[in-house]
């Protein structure tokens, strides 16, 4: 029974070997067999199968010259290895290569033949039959090209752990080693290609594009990754479409309608050449030539699209091409192909007929056509170099080089198995595989641990989850001037391993847009915002890339087109009127050179000069009665303090420095307190002496000169302590105020507004006390005190400084200093003019009033006024008392008071002056004499 079962399997397997699998193939026997899958045709003919009879195999159409060159690269590599004495010596490699026709069904049909052969070998039927002539099992497969096809093939080969190395499948889904266990590749994953495409769009500042992807495992994952990259860059995709070579005409036309009506000018296509071709044909038919195509590597150099008749539409295309490699001797190998020499390669005959547009004598296609009128017969010995086809375009070997590397990778894995020493192997107990009896899974194990350097000096390895580094060449489709064909001009590169910002390089000068223009096309939803504006609020019901431009705010600028945000100017700068750049702000302070500063400085110097002049007059006439009567020592101190007041205002002018900021307020405060203290002490002293009626020795002792200066010192010392505490705890400093547009004000930060308030408040307090005493002594002799003038000067002081407070807090910049300088000068001039100008006038222009007799007369007049007032008060009180006691109701005679003098109000006599006071019928004569010592005490 067991024998019968094996016999049945043997018969079935023999049938599979002889009948299953595509009939057209390239095949050569050997000790070890490689499988190959290549797109020798672009597609299959669409044929309706009604199943009325046995279904026929679909026919492949449109010969692919580049696919045939890739097949030749595999054969060339195997021939090189077979002729090598160092790599796999004494071992002959064979191959079985099938055409996938760029269709999954055809690829699976070929893959089943690989799998079936391996399954037969695993049955170990040698004991039942002589199988020396059977084809050995396929230990590895090179292919396929398209990602969708490789995905289907990988699922099948993975079931049997047959290693598969693809040369052109870049879908990122194939990186999943859990799902595709035996899949490897010599091409980078398009995970990086999608990022590179987004980088190019960002580089050219496009934000409004169309995305088209093939409806398969290559296009969908690629465009999905591309969409994520675009979202991260805030770039909008207007249309997101899928395409296929099997679309109906009305579907292609509808897609072309949407593209034609779109305002986006850049079309990103993630698809293969056969999938893109129907759309390109429709665009050519409609003559839509104002679009820029961004091509993935699957069709960036496709001969199916790069045709002269399509150039009006696709000229200027930017594409990603793989890094080119070198294959020594491959050019000569391609030129040596001939139908008679390459009988093992059944694709050569069709290649020859398509190249020379002829039929070979025994061609099956000749019998199918039934006529030779369209194509002549060819001999098979024509010169292949006389015809220009993509087959001989070996200037940039990209996919061909990947095929070459894939074959050599498998060969190196076999070499490692061949040279393995027991105890150093990769298998159980460090054993080695027997190269004569090895199985596909053992080759897969060896490939995963492969590590060698290829002919380009690149490290090759196929570790799990390890993809090759993505290095792309960026090409631009140019129109050849001689033949009108397409030239692939290298215009840049993309290196994933480079640092951020240096991955992409493009030479703009080499790019020709639409085949002729050097100006970068515009593909934005909204017009670029001009410099000085930014992207503003988006337009309703439109993507975020559609916006209105908004002018930059004051103090902000944008110096390039299409700015997303306006840049804030530095603190020391301000934006110009168009907001396109920033200029340095004008620095302002109360300068010595500006008219306002000069005027204030002149006023301050004038005040110092006038005060110095008054002091000079007082010093010169220091022994005159008026100077003595005004307490000349305190007057000197008072004049000195006024000089300090005027001088302190000069510190407020000029660029504020830290030392000037710390000096100016204390200098002003101490100077004013010293000034007002002198006025207060002088006024209060005279008032007390005159109110005492007759000065005594106690008054003279109490109001001695030393005590007066001590009181002045104490009043000033309080202000000094306020300033010391202020400077210690919160010292003022200069700072730059950037709050004002276009201007930087250099001002003083007072450190503590409270301390400044205490300083001014204390000064005003002394001024208020001084005002009180001055007002009380306003009726004293003018020779002794300037009560009326001091009262007026204090009123000026209060008006100035009360007005100063709101003005100080309502102004800014240099005007703060100017307000304080004006206040200082106004109050200083007020005190100088009110207190001293009248005296100077008398001293210089009325010397007759500056005599001792005038002083005596004034003093006597004041004394009689006081006595008369006292007597009148006493008399009035007596009459009220008499009226309350007496019973008489008669009226009391009125009393009259008169001051009589001899002749003038005050005439000099022989040393005495005796005015007379009359009260009704009586006359009282008062005698008043002044000794020199008493006068001295008053003076």
């Amino acid at each position: 029974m067991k024998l019968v079962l094996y016999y049945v399997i043997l018969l079935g397997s023999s049938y599979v070997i002889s009948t299953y699998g595509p009939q057209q193939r390239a095949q050569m026997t050997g000790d070890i067999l490689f499988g190959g899958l290549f797109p020798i045709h672009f597609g299959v003919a669409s044929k309706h199968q009604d199943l009325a009879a046995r279904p026929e195999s679909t026919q492949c159409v449109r010969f692919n010259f580049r696919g045939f060159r890739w097949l030749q690269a595999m054969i060339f590599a195997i021939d090189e290895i077979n002729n090598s004495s160092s790599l796999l010596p004494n071992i002959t490699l064979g191959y079985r290569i099938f055409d996938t026709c760029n269709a999954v069904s055809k690829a699976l049909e070929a893959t089943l033949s690989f799998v079936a052969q391996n399954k037969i070998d695993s049955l170990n039927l040698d004991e039942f039959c002589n199988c020396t002539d059977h084809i050995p099992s396929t230990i590895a497969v090179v292919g396929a090209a398209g990602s969708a096809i490789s995905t289907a093939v990988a699922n099948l080969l993975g079931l049997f752990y047959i290693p598969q190395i693809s040369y052109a499948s870049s879908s990122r889904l194939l990186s999943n080693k859990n799902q595709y266990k035996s899949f490897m590749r010599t091409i980078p994953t398009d995970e990086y290609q999608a990022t590179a495409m987004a980088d190019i769009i960002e580089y050219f500042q496009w934000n409004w594009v169309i995305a088209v992807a093939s409806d398969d495992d290559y296009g969908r994952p690629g465009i999905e990754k591309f969409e994520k990259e675009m979202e991260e860059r805030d770039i909008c995709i207007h249309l997101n479409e899928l395409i296929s070579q099997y679309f109906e005409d009305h579907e292609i036309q509808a897609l072309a309608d949407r593209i034609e009506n779109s305002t986006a000018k850049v079309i990103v296509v993630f698809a293969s050449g056969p999938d893109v071709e129907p759309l390109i044909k429709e665009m050519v038919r409609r003559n839509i030539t104002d679009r820029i195509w961004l091509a993935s590597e699957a069709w960036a150099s496709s001969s199916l699209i790069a045709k002269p008749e399509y150039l009006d539409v696709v000229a200027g295309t930017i594409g990603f091409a793989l890094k080119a490699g070198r294959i020594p001797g491959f050019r000569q190998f391609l030129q040596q192909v001939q139908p008679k020499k390459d009988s093992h390669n059944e694709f050569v005959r069709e290649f020859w007929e398509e190249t020379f547009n002829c039929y070979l004598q025994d061609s099956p296609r000749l019998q199918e056509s039934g006529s030779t009128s369209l194509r002549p017969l060819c001999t098979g010995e024509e010169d292949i170099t006389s015809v220009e086809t993509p087959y001989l375009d070996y200037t940039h070997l990209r996919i061909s080089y990947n095929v070459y590397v894939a074959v050599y990778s498998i060969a190196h894995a076999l070499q490692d198995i061949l040279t393995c020493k027991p105890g150093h192997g990769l298998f159980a107990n460090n054993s080695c595989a027997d190269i004569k009896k090895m199985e596909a899974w053992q080759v897969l194990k060896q490939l995963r641990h492969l590590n060698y350097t290829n002919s380009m000096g690149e490290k090759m390895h196929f570790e799990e989850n390890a993809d090759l580094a993505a290095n792309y060449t960026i090409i631009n489709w140019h129109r050849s001037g001689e033949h009108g064909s397409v030239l692939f001009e290298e215009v840049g590169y993309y290196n994933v391993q480079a640092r951020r910002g240096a991955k992409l390089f493009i030479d703009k000068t080499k790019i020709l847009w639409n085949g002729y223009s050097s100006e970068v096309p515009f593909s934005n939803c909204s017009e670029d915002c001009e410099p000085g504006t930014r992207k503003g609020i988006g337009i309703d019901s439109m993507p975020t890339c559609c916006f209105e431009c908004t002018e930059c705010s004051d103090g902000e600028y944008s110096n390039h087109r299409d700015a997303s945000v306006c840049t804030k100017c530095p603190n020391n700068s301000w934006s110009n009127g168009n907001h396109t750049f920033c200029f340095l702000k004008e620095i302002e302070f109360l300068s010595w050179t500006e008219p306002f500063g000069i005027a204030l400085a002149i006023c301050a110097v004038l005040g110092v000069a006038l005060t110095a002049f008054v002091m000079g007059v007082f010093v010169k006439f220091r022994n005159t009665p008026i100077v003595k009567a005004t307490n000349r020592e305190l007057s000197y101190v008072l004049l000195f303090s006024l000089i300090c007041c005027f001088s302190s205002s000069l510190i407020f002018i000029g660029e504020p420095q830290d030392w000037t900021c710390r000096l100016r307020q204390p200098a002003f405060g101490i100077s004013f307190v010293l000034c007002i203290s002198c006025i207060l002490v002088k006024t209060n002293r005279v008032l007390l002496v005159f109110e005492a009626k007759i000065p005594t020795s106690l008054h003279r002792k109490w109001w001695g000169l030393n005590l007066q200066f001590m009181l002045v010192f104490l009043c000033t010392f309080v202000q000094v302590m306020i300033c010391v505490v202020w400077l210690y705890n919160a010292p003022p400093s200069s700072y730059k105020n950037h709050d004002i547009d276009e201007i930087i004000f250099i001002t003083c930060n007072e450190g503590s507004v409270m301390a400044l308030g205490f300083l001014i408040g204390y000064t005003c307090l002394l001024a208020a006390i001084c005002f009180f005493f001055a007002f009380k002594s306003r009726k004293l002799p003018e020779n002794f005190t300037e009560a009326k003038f001091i009262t007026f000067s204090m009123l000026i002081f209060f008006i100035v400084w009360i007005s100063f407070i709101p003005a100080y807090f309502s102004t800014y910049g240099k005007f703060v200093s100017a307000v304080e300088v004006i206040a200082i000068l106004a109050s200083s001039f007020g005190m100088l003019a009110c207190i001293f100008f009248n005296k100077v006038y008398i001293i210089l222009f009325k010397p007759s009033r500056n005599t001792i007799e005038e002083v005596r007369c004034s003093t006597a007049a004041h004394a009689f006024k006081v006595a008369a007032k006292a007597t009148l008060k006493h008399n009035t009180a007596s009459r009220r008392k008499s009226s309350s006691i007496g019973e008489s109701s008669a009226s009391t005679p009125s009393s009259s008071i008169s001051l009589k003098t001899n002749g003038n109000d005050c005439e000099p006599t022989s040393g005495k002056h005796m005015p007379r006071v009359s009260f009704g019928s009586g006359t009282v004569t008062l005698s008043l004499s002044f000794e020199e010592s008493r006068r001295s005490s008053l003076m």
Side-chain angles (χ1 to χ4, degrees):
M1 186 67 183
K2 184 177 181 181
L3 182 61
V4 173
L5 179 61
Y6 277 114
Y7 181 73
V8 172
I9 295 175
L10 177 62
L11 290 177
S13 302
S14 300
Y15 177 78
V16 168
I17 295 172
S18 61
T19 63
Y20 197 79
Q23 295 299 319
Q24 192 177 18
R25 67 187 68 179
Q27 179 173 304
M28 180 175 286
T29 60
D31 300 323
I32 299 174
L33 201 63
F34 289 6
L37 297 172
F38 294 91
I40 308 302
H41 294 84
F42 282 114
V44 294
S46 58
K47 185 177 181 181
H48 179 68
Q49 299 283 0
D50 59 2
L51 301 180
R54 181 187 179 96
E56 297 179 359
S57 177
T58 54
Q59 184 178 1
C60 299
V61 295
R62 295 188 300 171
F63 192 83
N64 183 1
F65 288 94
R66 292 180 69 220
F68 181 69
R69 187 179 71 216
W70 302 342
L71 178 149
Q72 289 289 82
M74 180 175 177
I75 296 175
F76 174 77
I78 291 176
D79 287 347
E80 266 193 348
I81 296 170
N82 287 336
N83 295 326
S84 173
S85 59
S86 58
L87 186 61
L88 298 177
N90 303 319
I91 294 178
T92 301
L93 300 180
Y95 53 83
R96 296 177 68 204
I97 303 174
F98 296 100
D99 179 13
T100 65
C101 300
N102 205 34
V104 173
S105 59
K106 286 291 185 180
L108 288 178
E109 182 181 357
T111 305
L112 283 173
S113 68
F114 300 145
V115 173
Q117 182 62 48
N118 281 42
K119 195 64 179 174
I120 292 172
D121 287 351
S122 67
L123 294 178
N124 194 12
L125 301 178
D126 291 344
E127 59 180 298
F128 299 102
C129 66
N130 182 9
C131 300
T132 55
D133 294 333
H134 85 283
I135 300 174
S137 62
T138 303
I139 54 92
V141 175
V142 176
S147 295
I149 297 174
S150 287
T151 300
V153 171
N155 282 321
L156 183 56
L157 294 178
L159 293 174
F160 303 95
Y161 293 94
I162 301 175
Q164 173 191 0
I165 301 181
S166 175
Y167 47 84
S169 300
S170 59
S171 172
R172 63 189 181 92
L173 297 181
L174 290 167
S175 297
N176 187 348
K177 301 302 179 182
N178 292 326
Q179 184 173 358
Y180 307 104
K181 301 179 180 63
S182 63
F183 180 83
M184 290 161 282
R185 52 187 163 192
T186 56
I187 186 175
T189 172
D190 53 26
E191 176 97 4
Y192 306 109
Q193 187 177 188
T195 303
M197 283 185 167
D199 285 345
I200 283 186
I201 292 173
E202 185 179 31
Y203 177 82
F204 289 111
Q205 298 180 358
W206 296 322
N207 68 5
W208 194 236
V209 300
I210 298 172
V212 178
S214 58
D215 190 12
D216 54 29
D217 289 340
Y218 170 73
R220 287 192 300 269
I223 212 67
E224 179 183 343
K225 174 64 176 177
F226 176 73
E227 289 175 4
K228 293 180 180 179
E229 294 290 337
M230 297 290 274
E231 287 179 6
E232 292 178 2
R233 292 165 173 78
D234 293 329
I235 301 174
C236 300
I237 298 177
H238 185 209
L239 296 176
N240 197 341
E241 304 287 345
L242 294 176
I243 194 173
S244 173
Q245 61 178 314
Y246 303 112
F247 270 14
E248 300 291 339
D249 290 342
H250 68 88
E251 294 178 293
I252 295 296
Q253 292 173 1
L255 175 59
D257 287 338
R258 292 191 291 273
I259 292 176
E260 186 175 13
N261 295 329
S262 174
T263 57
K265 301 299 181 182
V266 175
I267 306 174
V268 180
V269 181
F270 247 101
S272 62
D275 289 326
V276 178
E277 187 185 24
L279 176 62
I280 298 297
K281 284 183 176 180
E282 181 64 21
M283 299 288 279
V284 171
R285 188 184 70 81
R286 299 187 182 202
N287 195 29
I288 303 175
T289 60
D290 60 341
R291 298 299 194 269
I292 297 298
W293 300 80
L294 189 56
S296 65
E297 49 79 24
W299 72 280
S301 56
S302 173
S303 58
L304 197 61
I305 308 300
K307 295 180 179 179
E309 57 265 31
Y310 296 160
L311 266 182
D312 289 340
V313 171
V314 298
T317 295
I318 300 293
F320 286 88
L322 299 174
K323 186 178 180 180
R326 297 189 304 272
I327 306 177
F330 187 50
R331 176 180 181 180
Q332 292 76 15
F333 178 81
L334 293 177
Q335 294 175 351
Q336 292 172 0
V337 64
Q338 276 190 346
K340 296 179 180 180
K341 294 180 181 180
D342 299 295
S343 58
H344 60 279
N345 188 347
E346 298 179 8
F347 299 108
V348 172
R349 299 179 64 83
E350 185 177 0
F351 161 73
W352 202 264
E353 292 174 351
E354 293 297 327
T355 300
F356 296 100
N357 195 24
C358 64
Y359 287 122
L360 293 171
Q361 185 65 39
D362 55 348
S363 172
R365 284 168 291 280
L366 176 60
Q367 299 174 1
E368 293 173 2
S369 64
S371 173
T372 59
S373 59
L374 298 178
R375 287 188 179 186
L377 292 175
C378 45
T379 63
E381 296 181 356
E382 288 81 2
D383 184 9
I384 192 67
T385 60
S386 63
V387 182
E388 183 178 350
T389 63
Y391 170 75
L392 291 179
D393 183 14
Y394 41 75
T395 54
H396 298 96
L397 299 177
R398 296 185 173 93
I399 302 299
S400 300
Y401 179 73
N402 288 349
V403 174
Y404 183 79
V405 172
V407 173
Y408 264 88
S409 296
I410 301 172
H412 276 280
L414 296 175
Q415 178 71 16
D416 291 342
I417 294 175
L418 179 65
T419 58
C420 177
K421 296 180 180 180
H424 296 85
L426 300 176
F427 304 99
N429 300 320
N430 296 326
S431 62
C432 298
D434 186 355
I435 197 168
K436 295 182 179 181
K437 297 181 179 180
M438 65 180 179
E439 298 183 34
W441 65 269
Q442 293 174 315
V443 178
L444 176 61
K445 176 72 171 179
Q446 202 69 46
L447 278 170
R448 289 179 178 176
H449 291 80
L450 181 66
N451 194 346
Y452 80 102
T453 303
N454 62 21
S455 60
M456 291 284 292
E458 299 171 334
K459 293 287 185 180
M460 294 299 302
H461 56 85
F462 299 100
E463 298 175 4
E464 288 193 38
N465 301 320
D467 288 308
L468 296 179
N471 296 310
Y472 296 103
T473 299
I474 300 173
I475 60 175
N476 182 223
W477 289 22
H478 289 191
R479 188 191 300 269
S480 173
E482 299 178 359
H483 309 290
S485 59
V486 178
L487 292 178
F488 301 119
E489 181 72 21
E490 293 187 5
V491 295
Y493 60 82
Y494 188 88
N495 186 0
V496 173
Q497 295 175 322
R499 60 179 176 82
R500 185 176 181 85
K503 295 181 179 181
L504 177 66
F505 170 77
I506 294 179
D507 187 353
K508 290 183 179 180
T509 60
K510 293 183 178 180
I511 297 179
L512 291 179
W513 303 103
N514 300 112
Y516 59 88
S517 175
S518 59
E519 183 180 355
V520 178
F522 180 83
S523 183
N524 292 4
C525 180
S526 301
E527 291 290 333
D528 288 347
C529 292
E530 295 295 327
T533 62
R534 63 172 177 83
K535 297 177 183 178
I537 302 174
I539 301 174
D540 293 341
S541 70
M542 294 294 287
T544 56
C545 299
C546 306
F547 51 83
E548 295 178 349
C549 296
T550 303
E551 186 177 4
C552 293
S553 302
D554 291 338
E556 297 180 346
Y557 75 100
S558 63
N559 55 7
H560 60 277
R561 296 172 62 89
D562 203 26
S564 299
V565 294
C566 295
T567 305
K568 187 175 180 61
C569 292
N571 283 338
N572 63 341
S573 303
W574 194 252
S575 58
N576 65 328
N578 295 328
H579 304 282
T580 55
F581 64 90
C582 293
F583 60 90
L584 292 177
K585 289 182 179 181
E586 182 182 353
I587 297 178
E588 283 196 5
F589 51 86
L590 191 57
S591 173
W592 294 98
T593 57
E594 65 176 291
F596 194 33
I598 293 173
L600 293 176
I602 291 174
C603 291
V605 173
L606 179 61
V608 172
L610 290 176
T611 307
F613 172 75
V614 173
M615 181 177 284
V617 171
F618 267 56
V619 171
K620 183 176 181 181
F621 297 95
R622 60 185 176 278
N623 294 321
T624 59
I626 287 183
V627 175
K628 289 181 178 181
T630 56
N631 198 335
R632 60 187 174 193
E633 288 78 9
L634 282 180
S635 295
Y636 296 156
V637 177
L638 176 59
L639 289 168
F640 170 75
S641 66
L642 284 174
I643 291 176
C644 293
C645 290
F646 284 114
S647 301
S648 67
S649 65
L650 296 174
I651 308 176
F652 289 81
I653 304 175
E655 181 177 354
Q657 304 291 337
D658 286 344
W659 68 272
T660 57
C661 291
R662 291 169 185 153
L663 177 62
R664 64 183 193 173
Q665 297 293 4
F668 142 71
I670 294 172
S671 300
F672 265 84
V673 166
L674 179 60
C675 177
I676 295 175
S677 298
C678 292
I679 299 173
L680 175 61
V681 171
K682 185 172 67 167
T683 304
N684 194 34
R685 170 186 168 273
V686 176
L687 177 63
L688 291 178
V689 170
F690 273 92
E691 285 191 349
K693 311 303 187 294
I694 300 175
T696 63
S697 60
L698 179 61
H699 289 95
R700 289 194 300 270
K701 179 180 179 181
W702 182 253
W703 284 106
L705 192 59
N706 292 334
L707 184 59
Q708 296 172 41
F709 283 117
M710 181 176 291
L711 290 175
V712 171
F713 171 77
L714 290 175
C715 292
T716 308
F717 180 74
V718 174
Q719 185 77 305
V720 171
M721 292 308 299
I722 292 175
C723 295
V724 169
V725 172
W726 181 8
L727 294 177
Y728 179 78
N729 291 311
S733 60
S734 65
Y735 85 105
K736 295 180 179 180
N737 186 354
H738 300 276
D739 298 336
I740 308 303
D741 299 348
E742 304 182 15
I743 298 175
I744 297 177
F745 286 117
I746 303 180
T747 59
C748 285
N749 180 6
E750 302 300 349
S752 173
V753 178
M754 183 181 294
L756 179 62
F758 274 117
L759 183 141
I760 298 177
Y762 178 68
T763 305
C764 292
L765 176 63
L766 292 181
I769 298 173
C770 185
F771 175 78
F772 171 74
F773 285 116
F775 181 79
K776 191 174 181 181
S777 60
R778 68 191 182 280
K779 295 182 180 180
L780 295 182
E782 294 179 0
N783 303 69
F784 290 89
T785 182
E786 307 85 357
K788 293 179 182 179
F789 299 107
I790 291 176
T791 302
F792 187 66
S793 68
M794 291 300 103
L795 285 175
I796 294 175
F797 183 89
F798 282 125
I799 292 173
V800 168
W801 289 102
I802 290 174
S803 303
F804 164 78
I805 294 174
Y808 181 84
F809 288 103
S810 61
T811 54
Y812 57 88
K814 65 181 180 180
F815 302 107
V816 175
S817 298
V819 166
E820 193 162 355
V821 171
I822 292 172
I824 293 172
L825 294 178
S827 54
S828 299
F829 273 115
M831 288 187 288
L832 177 64
C834 292
I835 297 174
F836 291 102
F837 281 5
N838 182 48
K839 301 301 179 185
V840 173
Y841 175 76
I842 293 174
I843 293 172
L844 296 179
F845 300 106
K846 298 290 184 179
S848 60
R849 296 178 59 184
N850 189 15
T851 60
I852 189 61
E853 289 79 7
E854 183 69 19
V855 173
R856 286 175 179 174
C857 179
S858 177
T859 304
H862 176 73
F864 276 110
K865 289 179 182 179
V866 173
K869 184 177 180 181
T871 304
L872 180 59
K873 184 178 180 181
H874 176 73
N875 189 29
T876 302
S878 298
R879 287 201 305 273
R880 288 178 180 175
K881 187 176 181 180
S882 300
S883 299
S884 62
I885 296 174
E887 299 177 356
S888 176
S889 59
S891 61
T892 305
S894 61
S895 300
S896 63
I897 303 174
S898 63
L899 175 61
K900 298 180 180 180
T901 61
N902 297 327
N904 297 328
D905 291 341
C906 187
E907 289 184 357
T909 59
S910 59
K912 295 183 180 181
H913 178 69
M914 295 182 294
R916 188 182 305 164
V917 183
S918 300
F919 299 94
S921 59
T923 299
V924 179
T925 301
L926 299 178
S927 176
L928 196 62
S929 64
F930 291 82
E931 291 84 1
E932 185 66 27
S933 62
R934 186 172 299 175
R935 289 197 304 270
S936 298
S937 67
L938 295 175
M939 297 179 186

